[in-house]
Amino acid sequence: MEKRSIEIKWSILFTLAMLLWMYAERLFGLHDEWIEKHAFYSGFFAIVAIAIYLFALYDKRKNFYNGFMDWREGFISGLFITLFVVILSPLTQYIISRFISPEFFPNIIRYSVETGEMTRDQAQDYFSLKNYIITSAVFAVISGVITSAIAALLMRKRKKRA
């Protein structure tokens, strides 16, 4: 585990950032008053997520690989961050839906039905803790792999040959 302590640290920081983001969304009314803008503004978390991966791989390069890291090493490190984020995602979704914004699901269900986007049954199936746990885990895998590949490319640094 010592070998992956940097990845564990950054996956915990990622999770905390996600929780803070959701708390801010709720404070700014994106889970009730401005729920129609929720999807748009939630997308901006991608900037935070990418920044966290970049800082994480910089940390790994500097403090584990002595300032040098090839793409493969960075990519594998990013995959481990992704793995730990995926493992934490059910707990993260539970905390969000039960403590940070318990009114989100009822509000988004009502909004989706009122706007005609979904029937009540469809909305209740889609906007549920179970579905969000599954969806967040799948999305974390896909976006984590892509972000890891790109961040590893940006953070690679080769030793100069003599």
Side-chain angles (χ1 to χ4, degrees):
M1 267 330 214
E2 177 82 18
K3 185 178 180 182
R4 296 295 169 205
S5 62
I6 290 172
E7 290 85 350
I8 292 169
K9 173 181 80 175
W10 284 99
S11 65
I12 291 169
L13 289 171
F14 185 99
T15 300
L16 291 173
M18 171 63 78
L19 293 171
L20 285 170
W21 186 272
M22 288 297 125
Y23 183 71
E25 280 189 2
R26 194 201 77 193
L27 284 179
F28 289 116
L30 294 174
H31 293 185
D32 46 42
E33 181 182 0
W34 302 104
I35 202 155
E36 72 276 4
K37 298 179 186 310
H38 175 263
F40 175 76
Y41 286 107
S42 285
F44 286 105
F45 184 75
I47 296 167
V48 175
I50 292 166
I52 289 171
Y53 271 75
L54 289 170
F55 284 123
L57 294 189
Y58 176 79
D59 185 8
K60 187 74 174 189
R61 183 181 78 192
K62 180 181 175 196
N63 296 307
F64 187 81
Y65 290 116
N66 299 315
F68 300 97
M69 181 174 70
D70 63 27
W71 180 85
R72 184 179 172 278
E73 292 165 333
F75 183 61
I76 290 171
S77 180
L79 291 180
F80 273 100
I81 294 166
T82 299
L83 173 66
F84 298 134
V85 167
V86 169
I87 289 169
L88 290 171
S89 71
L91 177 62
T92 305
Q93 287 303 316
Y94 180 80
I95 291 169
I96 292 166
S97 69
R98 294 298 182 244
F99 301 108
I100 294 175
S101 190
E103 70 283 353
F104 175 72
F105 288 139
N107 289 341
I108 194 71
I109 289 167
R110 185 177 60 253
Y111 173 77
S112 297
V113 171
E114 286 173 359
T115 59
E117 292 178 28
M118 296 180 183
T119 66
R120 178 158 303 282
D121 288 341
Q122 290 171 326
Q124 287 174 330
D125 288 343
Y126 187 78
F127 298 110
S128 67
L129 179 59
K130 178 184 174 186
N131 190 51
Y132 265 54
I133 286 172
I134 294 166
T135 303
S136 68
V138 170
F139 184 74
V141 169
I142 294 167
S143 61
V145 169
I146 293 167
T147 303
S148 296
I150 294 167
L153 187 64
L154 296 172
M155 286 294 117
R156 70 184 173 166
K157 187 173 181 184
R158 296 185 183 126
K159 292 180 183 176
K160 292 183 181 179
R161 297 180 187 203

